[in-house]
Amino acid sequence: MIRIAVLAGDGIGPEIVNEALKVLDVLRSEGLEVQTEAAPVGGAAVDLTGDPLPEATLALCRASHAILFGAIGGPQYDVLPREQRPERGLLRLRKQLDLFANLRPAQVFPQLAAASALKAEVVAGLDILIIRELTGDIYFGEPRGIRIDHGERVGFNTMIYSESEIRRVAHVGFQSAMRRNRRLCSIDKMNVLESTQLWRDVVTEVHAEYPDVALSHMLVDNAAMQLVRNPRQFDVMLTGNIFGDILSDEASMLTGSIGMLPSASLNSAGQGMYEPIHGSAPDIAGKGIANPLAQILSLAMLFRHSVDRADLAARIETAVERTLEAGLRTADIALPGEAVVSTSQMGDAVARALVQGHA
Ligand code: NAD
């Protein structure tokens, strides 16, 4: 029995998770033994319990094979003390489960090449995997805070990586490259930041164990530029937490919409959390227009990485492609003048394509 914790969260989270559950229901109706249990997280959990990651939610996640996560956050929570903010719940969950490797594929579906912010000929066929370290770096480094210095406020954070943190994510990077086109580009800012000099040194050391992978290094500012100049030069990009956060959002625009990009966050036991890379999109929440495909593709990643059912992952991905092929578009991926469908119409269509693909 596959146990999945379902943490829908805030904003469009519940709307798009609902569509992924329709897809899961199709597989369940075919006999897949899967058990889902929902739990509050983020702002929804703050409203209920005052804590963005209640103990019961964490316990459910620990006891599950995988977590299907929607999104968290909203402007109404931005005034709360930092510890109670939804984002802090997400960071704690990543840290508590030691989900250190974040896999973010950025693929251009041929049907959507024209929806990219770049020219179709620059992005057609694009297939990058960004691997972002997720539990270290300046997001977690201590000391951090805002203090008074010489009569004025000073904000400070600590960019820090240990050798073992870099080493374990480098292994994930090289192993992923081995399954793809065997090219790994490691991103750093070693010309200015010591912690990223160590990053480069350790990645180079780990490379000795993967002689079949071609390793290159690139400074993060250049990488940001190369991603829009010639994105197809990349196969796997390996980055620290903050650089990966920014570069993967940039890469999302190459694919047409942030609403298309799934992600997986894995620990060394293969347990994983699967979520779209976007946030809770409060500007469109409740309108029924959010794109559910990133969430549905996150479910596909769940089957590939946490329960060893790459066959089901491929079926879901094919169902998404067929749905796009049939011309269905939510507003974020529609070209001017194209007809658009709602969140639930898109989910229904993928579920139907999944059934038909199996018939
Ligand atoms: P966002 O990703 O929520 O939205 C950015 C833009 O993309 C918005 O215009 C939104 O409408 C659009 N968008 C996002 N997902 C979409 C989808 N599926 N379909 C169509 N359009 C979509 O980022 P933001 O506006 O900067 O942040 C909103 C809230 O989300 C904040 O509270 C932020 O902290 C939180 N956030 C959460 C996560 C997460 O849960 N992992 C990640 C990023 C931001």
Side-chain angles (χ1 to χ4, degrees):
M1 178 69 77
I2 302 164
R3 288 189 307 279
I4 301 178
V6 178
L7 274 50
D10 309 318
I12 62 169
E15 301 170 39
I16 54 177
V17 162
N18 199 34
E19 302 312 311
L21 292 179
K22 286 180 187 169
V23 170
L24 195 59
D25 278 343
V26 171
L27 300 175
R28 198 184 263 136
S29 71
E30 292 171 3
L32 182 75
E33 295 205 349
V34 55
Q35 177 190 314
T36 54
E37 191 171 333
V41 73
V46 172
D47 291 342
L48 283 171
T49 68
D51 181 353
L53 181 64
E55 229 7 88
T57 299
L58 181 58
L60 173 71
C61 293
R62 283 194 200 284
S64 303
H65 293 106
I67 303 156
L68 188 66
F69 192 95
I72 46 93
Q76 67 272 44
Y77 304 110
D78 290 344
V79 291
L80 291 174
R82 207 157 273 280
E83 266 314 305
Q84 274 184 10
R85 290 196 199 160
E87 292 74 12
R88 203 41 82 90
L90 178 57
L91 294 184
R92 260 171 50 209
L93 184 56
R94 289 173 179 164
K95 194 76 176 170
Q96 289 287 328
L97 295 187
D98 205 18
L99 302 168
F100 68 88
N102 184 223
L103 277 54
R104 295 184 171 207
Q107 247 178 321
V108 171
F109 288 92
Q111 301 86 351
L112 295 184
S116 167
L118 297 193
K119 293 192 196 84
E121 64 264 28
V122 177
V123 296
L126 179 79
D127 182 4
I128 303 176
L129 176 62
I130 298 184
I131 298 182
R132 166 188 168 196
E133 200 288 332
L134 205 57
T135 51
D137 206 353
I138 196 162
Y139 290 175
F140 294 94
E142 298 282 350
R144 61 192 298 156
I146 300 173
R147 64 167 185 251
I148 304 291
D149 241 0
H150 298 102
E152 65 169 348
R153 285 171 300 165
V154 175
F156 57 100
N157 291 86
T158 303
M159 189 172 221
I160 181 165
Y161 264 125
S162 69
E163 187 176 348
S164 56
E165 285 176 308
I166 302 169
R167 198 171 289 280
R168 64 181 183 172
V169 76
H171 279 292
V172 175
F174 284 111
Q175 284 159 15
S176 301
M178 288 292 287
R179 288 193 292 271
R180 293 170 47 99
N181 293 318
R182 301 190 173 196
R183 286 184 291 116
L184 182 91
C185 182
S186 173
I187 310 300
D188 60 48
K189 187 71 183 168
M190 56 73 85
N191 53 342
V192 183
L193 300 169
E194 286 79 358
S195 71
T196 77
Q197 173 67 60
L198 181 69
W199 179 277
R200 186 176 288 211
D201 294 346
V202 174
V203 171
T204 304
E205 288 161 25
V206 174
H207 181 217
E209 296 176 48
Y210 301 91
D212 293 338
V213 176
L215 171 67
S216 58
H217 301 276
M218 196 177 276
L219 297 176
V220 62
D221 41 348
N222 187 23
M225 191 264 281
Q226 295 296 337
L227 262 179
V228 287
R229 194 184 75 86
N230 176 19
R232 281 182 305 203
Q233 70 184 280
F234 297 111
D235 176 21
V236 178
M237 297 175 89
L238 176 69
T239 86
N241 203 344
I242 188 168
F243 296 160
D245 192 1
I246 298 164
L247 291 180
S248 57
D249 268 25
E250 184 187 0
S252 74
M253 279 319 292
L254 309 177
T255 71
S257 169
I258 198 166
M260 292 298 301
L261 290 190
S263 76
S265 306
L266 309 175
N267 64 21
S268 41
Q271 217 184 5
M273 180 157 94
Y274 298 84
E275 56 176 325
I277 77 156
H278 59 71
S280 58
D283 52 334
I284 59 167
K287 296 184 179 162
I289 60 172
N291 184 347
L293 294 181
Q295 187 77 59
I296 292 171
L297 291 167
S298 299
L299 179 65
M301 290 190 87
L302 183 157
F303 282 112
R304 180 167 290 117
H305 295 284
S306 279
V307 293
D308 206 16
R309 290 296 305 264
D311 57 323
L312 297 181
R315 272 187 63 201
I316 296 171
E317 286 157 358
T318 304
V320 167
E321 269 202 66
R322 290 223 176 105
T323 306
L324 293 172
E325 191 63 50
L328 276 84
R329 301 284 185 271
T330 42
D332 57 308
I333 51 174
L335 295 176
E338 268 186 334
V340 301
V341 298
S342 69
T343 307
S344 66
Q345 285 169 324
M346 185 61 108
D348 289 341
V350 175
R352 265 196 314 275
L354 191 63
V355 174
Q356 284 157 6
H358 198 50

PDB file of all heavy atoms in Angstrom, residues 309-333:
ATOM      1  N   ARG A 309       7.580   3.467  -9.606  1.00  0.00           N
ATOM      2  CA  ARG A 309       6.609   3.146 -10.650  1.00  0.00           C
ATOM      3  C   ARG A 309       6.796   4.140 -11.798  1.00  0.00           C
ATOM      4  O   ARG A 309       5.915   4.951 -12.106  1.00  0.00           O
ATOM      5  CB  ARG A 309       5.169   3.200 -10.106  1.00  0.00           C
ATOM      6  CG  ARG A 309       4.795   2.097  -9.132  1.00  0.00           C
ATOM      7  CD  ARG A 309       4.818   0.695  -9.745  1.00  0.00           C
ATOM      8  NE  ARG A 309       3.994   0.539 -10.929  1.00  0.00           N
ATOM      9  CZ  ARG A 309       2.737   0.066 -10.936  1.00  0.00           C
ATOM     10  NH1 ARG A 309       2.182  -0.307  -9.806  1.00  0.00           N
ATOM     11  NH2 ARG A 309       2.053  -0.048 -12.065  1.00  0.00           N
ATOM     12  N   ALA A 310       7.965   4.044 -12.450  1.00  0.00           N
ATOM     13  CA  ALA A 310       8.253   4.930 -13.581  1.00  0.00           C
ATOM     14  C   ALA A 310       7.223   4.737 -14.688  1.00  0.00           C
ATOM     15  O   ALA A 310       6.954   5.662 -15.468  1.00  0.00           O
ATOM     16  CB  ALA A 310       9.664   4.664 -14.104  1.00  0.00           C
ATOM     17  N   ASP A 311       6.611   3.532 -14.751  1.00  0.00           N
ATOM     18  CA  ASP A 311       5.593   3.284 -15.783  1.00  0.00           C
ATOM     19  C   ASP A 311       4.385   4.210 -15.575  1.00  0.00           C
ATOM     20  O   ASP A 311       3.870   4.795 -16.536  1.00  0.00           O
ATOM     21  CB  ASP A 311       5.158   1.804 -15.748  1.00  0.00           C
ATOM     22  CG  ASP A 311       4.624   1.386 -14.371  1.00  0.00           C
ATOM     23  OD1 ASP A 311       5.160   1.859 -13.345  1.00  0.00           O
ATOM     24  OD2 ASP A 311       3.654   0.606 -14.329  1.00  0.00           O
ATOM     25  N   LEU A 312       3.961   4.376 -14.322  1.00  0.00           N
ATOM     26  CA  LEU A 312       2.813   5.250 -14.050  1.00  0.00           C
ATOM     27  C   LEU A 312       3.198   6.714 -14.278  1.00  0.00           C
ATOM     28  O   LEU A 312       2.391   7.505 -14.782  1.00  0.00           O
ATOM     29  CB  LEU A 312       2.308   5.045 -12.621  1.00  0.00           C
ATOM     30  CG  LEU A 312       1.766   3.652 -12.309  1.00  0.00           C
ATOM     31  CD1 LEU A 312       1.281   3.578 -10.866  1.00  0.00           C
ATOM     32  CD2 LEU A 312       0.632   3.283 -13.265  1.00  0.00           C
ATOM     33  N   ALA A 313       4.433   7.057 -13.921  1.00  0.00           N
ATOM     34  CA  ALA A 313       4.903   8.431 -14.170  1.00  0.00           C
ATOM     35  C   ALA A 313       4.817   8.738 -15.665  1.00  0.00           C
ATOM     36  O   ALA A 313       4.289   9.777 -16.075  1.00  0.00           O
ATOM     37  CB  ALA A 313       6.344   8.581 -13.677  1.00  0.00           C
ATOM     38  N   ALA A 314       5.300   7.811 -16.476  1.00  0.00           N
ATOM     39  CA  ALA A 314       5.308   8.029 -17.931  1.00  0.00           C
ATOM     40  C   ALA A 314       3.878   8.121 -18.464  1.00  0.00           C
ATOM     41  O   ALA A 314       3.589   8.939 -19.348  1.00  0.00           O
ATOM     42  CB  ALA A 314       6.068   6.897 -18.623  1.00  0.00           C
ATOM     43  N   ARG A 315       2.980   7.324 -17.900  1.00  0.00           N
ATOM     44  CA  ARG A 315       1.577   7.384 -18.366  1.00  0.00           C
ATOM     45  C   ARG A 315       0.959   8.745 -18.064  1.00  0.00           C
ATOM     46  O   ARG A 315       0.240   9.314 -18.876  1.00  0.00           O
ATOM     47  CB  ARG A 315       0.749   6.289 -17.681  1.00  0.00           C
ATOM     48  CG  ARG A 315       0.773   4.979 -18.435  1.00  0.00           C
ATOM     49  CD  ARG A 315      -0.190   3.992 -17.805  1.00  0.00           C
ATOM     50  NE  ARG A 315      -1.574   4.445 -17.862  1.00  0.00           N
ATOM     51  CZ  ARG A 315      -2.544   3.995 -17.055  1.00  0.00           C
ATOM     52  NH1 ARG A 315      -2.268   3.094 -16.132  1.00  0.00           N
ATOM     53  NH2 ARG A 315      -3.767   4.442 -17.188  1.00  0.00           N
ATOM     54  N   ILE A 316       1.234   9.268 -16.873  1.00  0.00           N
ATOM     55  CA  ILE A 316       0.673  10.584 -16.515  1.00  0.00           C
ATOM     56  C   ILE A 316       1.259  11.665 -17.434  1.00  0.00           C
ATOM     57  O   ILE A 316       0.553  12.528 -17.954  1.00  0.00           O
ATOM     58  CB  ILE A 316       0.944  10.916 -15.032  1.00  0.00           C
ATOM     59  CG1 ILE A 316       0.224   9.925 -14.123  1.00  0.00           C
ATOM     60  CG2 ILE A 316       0.526  12.338 -14.714  1.00  0.00           C
ATOM     61  CD1 ILE A 316       0.591  10.037 -12.642  1.00  0.00           C
ATOM     62  N   GLU A 317       2.570  11.579 -17.667  1.00  0.00           N
ATOM     63  CA  GLU A 317       3.205  12.593 -18.525  1.00  0.00           C
ATOM     64  C   GLU A 317       2.651  12.534 -19.946  1.00  0.00           C
ATOM     65  O   GLU A 317       2.423  13.568 -20.578  1.00  0.00           O
ATOM     66  CB  GLU A 317       4.728  12.389 -18.505  1.00  0.00           C
ATOM     67  CG  GLU A 317       5.339  12.850 -17.178  1.00  0.00           C
ATOM     68  CD  GLU A 317       6.695  12.224 -16.832  1.00  0.00           C
ATOM     69  OE1 GLU A 317       7.192  11.378 -17.609  1.00  0.00           O
ATOM     70  OE2 GLU A 317       7.236  12.557 -15.780  1.00  0.00           O
ATOM     71  N   THR A 318       2.404  11.324 -20.417  1.00  0.00           N
ATOM     72  CA  THR A 318       1.839  11.185 -21.761  1.00  0.00           C
ATOM     73  C   THR A 318       0.415  11.742 -21.807  1.00  0.00           C
ATOM     74  O   THR A 318       0.018  12.388 -22.774  1.00  0.00           O
ATOM     75  CB  THR A 318       1.838   9.696 -22.186  1.00  0.00           C
ATOM     76  OG1 THR A 318       3.172   9.232 -22.087  1.00  0.00           O
ATOM     77  CG2 THR A 318       1.337   9.509 -23.603  1.00  0.00           C
ATOM     78  N   ALA A 319      -0.338  11.516 -20.724  1.00  0.00           N
ATOM     79  CA  ALA A 319      -1.713  12.041 -20.675  1.00  0.00           C
ATOM     80  C   ALA A 319      -1.690  13.580 -20.710  1.00  0.00           C
ATOM     81  O   ALA A 319      -2.526  14.207 -21.369  1.00  0.00           O
ATOM     82  CB  ALA A 319      -2.416  11.542 -19.417  1.00  0.00           C
ATOM     83  N   VAL A 320      -0.716  14.185 -20.031  1.00  0.00           N
ATOM     84  CA  VAL A 320      -0.589  15.652 -20.072  1.00  0.00           C
ATOM     85  C   VAL A 320      -0.264  16.106 -21.504  1.00  0.00           C
ATOM     86  O   VAL A 320      -0.872  17.039 -22.040  1.00  0.00           O
ATOM     87  CB  VAL A 320       0.493  16.134 -19.078  1.00  0.00           C
ATOM     88  CG1 VAL A 320       0.850  17.596 -19.328  1.00  0.00           C
ATOM     89  CG2 VAL A 320       0.024  15.944 -17.642  1.00  0.00           C
ATOM     90  N   GLU A 321       0.670  15.409 -22.122  1.00  0.00           N
ATOM     91  CA  GLU A 321       1.038  15.782 -23.502  1.00  0.00           C
ATOM     92  C   GLU A 321      -0.145  15.665 -24.448  1.00  0.00           C
ATOM     93  O   GLU A 321      -0.373  16.530 -25.303  1.00  0.00           O
ATOM     94  CB  GLU A 321       2.165  14.869 -24.000  1.00  0.00           C
ATOM     95  CG  GLU A 321       3.525  15.445 -23.707  1.00  0.00           C
ATOM     96  CD  GLU A 321       4.601  14.875 -24.612  1.00  0.00           C
ATOM     97  OE1 GLU A 321       4.554  15.135 -25.827  1.00  0.00           O
ATOM     98  OE2 GLU A 321       5.469  14.160 -24.083  1.00  0.00           O
ATOM     99  N   ARG A 322      -0.907  14.580 -24.310  1.00  0.00           N
ATOM    100  CA  ARG A 322      -2.079  14.386 -25.179  1.00  0.00           C
ATOM    101  C   ARG A 322      -3.088  15.510 -24.970  1.00  0.00           C
ATOM    102  O   ARG A 322      -3.723  15.976 -25.916  1.00  0.00           O
ATOM    103  CB  ARG A 322      -2.770  13.060 -24.850  1.00  0.00           C
ATOM    104  CG  ARG A 322      -1.969  11.873 -25.252  1.00  0.00           C
ATOM    105  CD  ARG A 322      -2.857  10.816 -25.916  1.00  0.00           C
ATOM    106  NE  ARG A 322      -2.010   9.723 -26.361  1.00  0.00           N
ATOM    107  CZ  ARG A 322      -1.937   8.557 -25.748  1.00  0.00           C
ATOM    108  NH1 ARG A 322      -2.696   8.311 -24.717  1.00  0.00           N
ATOM    109  NH2 ARG A 322      -1.124   7.624 -26.196  1.00  0.00           N
ATOM    110  N   THR A 323      -3.243  15.930 -23.730  1.00  0.00           N
ATOM    111  CA  THR A 323      -4.212  16.989 -23.422  1.00  0.00           C
ATOM    112  C   THR A 323      -3.766  18.302 -24.073  1.00  0.00           C
ATOM    113  O   THR A 323      -4.581  19.037 -24.636  1.00  0.00           O
ATOM    114  CB  THR A 323      -4.338  17.141 -21.884  1.00  0.00           C
ATOM    115  OG1 THR A 323      -4.637  15.851 -21.340  1.00  0.00           O
ATOM    116  CG2 THR A 323      -5.419  18.113 -21.506  1.00  0.00           C
ATOM    117  N   LEU A 324      -2.460  18.566 -24.022  1.00  0.00           N
ATOM    118  CA  LEU A 324      -1.951  19.771 -24.683  1.00  0.00           C
ATOM    119  C   LEU A 324      -2.088  19.633 -26.200  1.00  0.00           C
ATOM    120  O   LEU A 324      -2.448  20.581 -26.906  1.00  0.00           O
ATOM    121  CB  LEU A 324      -0.481  20.001 -24.300  1.00  0.00           C
ATOM    122  CG  LEU A 324      -0.217  20.350 -22.831  1.00  0.00           C
ATOM    123  CD1 LEU A 324       1.281  20.364 -22.542  1.00  0.00           C
ATOM    124  CD2 LEU A 324      -0.831  21.715 -22.484  1.00  0.00           C
ATOM    125  N   GLU A 325      -1.810  18.434 -26.676  1.00  0.00           N
ATOM    126  CA  GLU A 325      -1.911  18.140 -28.109  1.00  0.00           C
ATOM    127  C   GLU A 325      -3.341  18.401 -28.606  1.00  0.00           C
ATOM    128  O   GLU A 325      -3.553  18.908 -29.709  1.00  0.00           O
ATOM    129  CB  GLU A 325      -1.552  16.655 -28.323  1.00  0.00           C
ATOM    130  CG  GLU A 325      -1.351  16.211 -29.753  1.00  0.00           C
ATOM    131  CD  GLU A 325      -0.180  16.904 -30.413  1.00  0.00           C
ATOM    132  OE1 GLU A 325       0.897  16.919 -29.803  1.00  0.00           O
ATOM    133  OE2 GLU A 325      -0.378  17.446 -31.522  1.00  0.00           O
ATOM    134  N   ALA A 326      -4.308  18.077 -27.740  1.00  0.00           N
ATOM    135  CA  ALA A 326      -5.719  18.278 -28.103  1.00  0.00           C
ATOM    136  C   ALA A 326      -6.101  19.762 -28.054  1.00  0.00           C
ATOM    137  O   ALA A 326      -7.236  20.124 -28.361  1.00  0.00           O
ATOM    138  CB  ALA A 326      -6.612  17.472 -27.162  1.00  0.00           C
ATOM    139  N   GLY A 327      -5.161  20.617 -27.639  1.00  0.00           N
ATOM    140  CA  GLY A 327      -5.396  22.060 -27.700  1.00  0.00           C
ATOM    141  C   GLY A 327      -5.920  22.679 -26.418  1.00  0.00           C
ATOM    142  O   GLY A 327      -6.229  23.868 -26.400  1.00  0.00           O
ATOM    143  N   LEU A 328      -6.008  21.910 -25.325  1.00  0.00           N
ATOM    144  CA  LEU A 328      -6.520  22.520 -24.089  1.00  0.00           C
ATOM    145  C   LEU A 328      -5.470  23.430 -23.464  1.00  0.00           C
ATOM    146  O   LEU A 328      -4.297  23.046 -23.336  1.00  0.00           O
ATOM    147  CB  LEU A 328      -6.946  21.431 -23.092  1.00  0.00           C
ATOM    148  CG  LEU A 328      -8.372  20.920 -23.339  1.00  0.00           C
ATOM    149  CD1 LEU A 328      -8.370  19.852 -24.407  1.00  0.00           C
ATOM    150  CD2 LEU A 328      -8.998  20.420 -22.066  1.00  0.00           C
ATOM    151  N   ARG A 329      -5.901  24.617 -23.070  1.00  0.00           N
ATOM    152  CA  ARG A 329      -4.985  25.600 -22.481  1.00  0.00           C
ATOM    153  C   ARG A 329      -5.662  26.323 -21.323  1.00  0.00           C
ATOM    154  O   ARG A 329      -6.776  26.824 -21.487  1.00  0.00           O
ATOM    155  CB  ARG A 329      -4.604  26.670 -23.520  1.00  0.00           C
ATOM    156  CG  ARG A 329      -3.936  26.163 -24.788  1.00  0.00           C
ATOM    157  CD  ARG A 329      -2.483  25.795 -24.545  1.00  0.00           C
ATOM    158  NE  ARG A 329      -1.807  25.416 -25.782  1.00  0.00           N
ATOM    159  CZ  ARG A 329      -1.774  24.173 -26.273  1.00  0.00           C
ATOM    160  NH1 ARG A 329      -2.375  23.182 -25.631  1.00  0.00           N
ATOM    161  NH2 ARG A 329      -1.156  23.919 -27.408  1.00  0.00           N
ATOM    162  N   THR A 330      -4.984  26.383 -20.172  1.00  0.00           N
ATOM    163  CA  THR A 330      -5.432  27.324 -19.148  1.00  0.00           C
ATOM    164  C   THR A 330      -4.895  28.698 -19.553  1.00  0.00           C
ATOM    165  O   THR A 330      -4.034  28.805 -20.451  1.00  0.00           O
ATOM    166  CB  THR A 330      -4.880  26.918 -17.765  1.00  0.00           C
ATOM    167  OG1 THR A 330      -3.517  26.511 -17.917  1.00  0.00           O
ATOM    168  CG2 THR A 330      -5.695  25.794 -17.158  1.00  0.00           C
ATOM    169  N   ALA A 331      -5.381  29.750 -18.869  1.00  0.00           N
ATOM    170  CA  ALA A 331      -5.085  31.114 -19.314  1.00  0.00           C
ATOM    171  C   ALA A 331      -3.583  31.398 -19.389  1.00  0.00           C
ATOM    172  O   ALA A 331      -3.110  32.096 -20.291  1.00  0.00           O
ATOM    173  CB  ALA A 331      -5.753  32.103 -18.379  1.00  0.00           C
ATOM    174  N   ASP A 332      -2.805  30.835 -18.453  1.00  0.00           N
ATOM    175  CA  ASP A 332      -1.377  31.156 -18.387  1.00  0.00           C
ATOM    176  C   ASP A 332      -0.584  30.598 -19.574  1.00  0.00           C
ATOM    177  O   ASP A 332       0.508  31.090 -19.856  1.00  0.00           O
ATOM    178  CB  ASP A 332      -0.786  30.604 -17.072  1.00  0.00           C
ATOM    179  CG  ASP A 332      -1.004  29.114 -16.935  1.00  0.00           C
ATOM    180  OD1 ASP A 332      -2.157  28.660 -17.077  1.00  0.00           O
ATOM    181  OD2 ASP A 332      -0.026  28.383 -16.711  1.00  0.00           O
ATOM    182  N   ILE A 333      -1.102  29.596 -20.251  1.00  0.00           N
ATOM    183  CA  ILE A 333      -0.343  29.015 -21.371  1.00  0.00           C
ATOM    184  C   ILE A 333      -1.035  29.238 -22.721  1.00  0.00           C
ATOM    185  O   ILE A 333      -0.600  28.722 -23.738  1.00  0.00           O
ATOM    186  CB  ILE A 333      -0.073  27.497 -21.178  1.00  0.00           C
ATOM    187  CG1 ILE A 333      -1.364  26.742 -20.838  1.00  0.00           C
ATOM    188  CG2 ILE A 333       0.988  27.260 -20.115  1.00  0.00           C
ATOM    189  CD1 ILE A 333      -1.186  25.224 -20.780  1.00  0.00           C
TER     190      ILE A 333
END
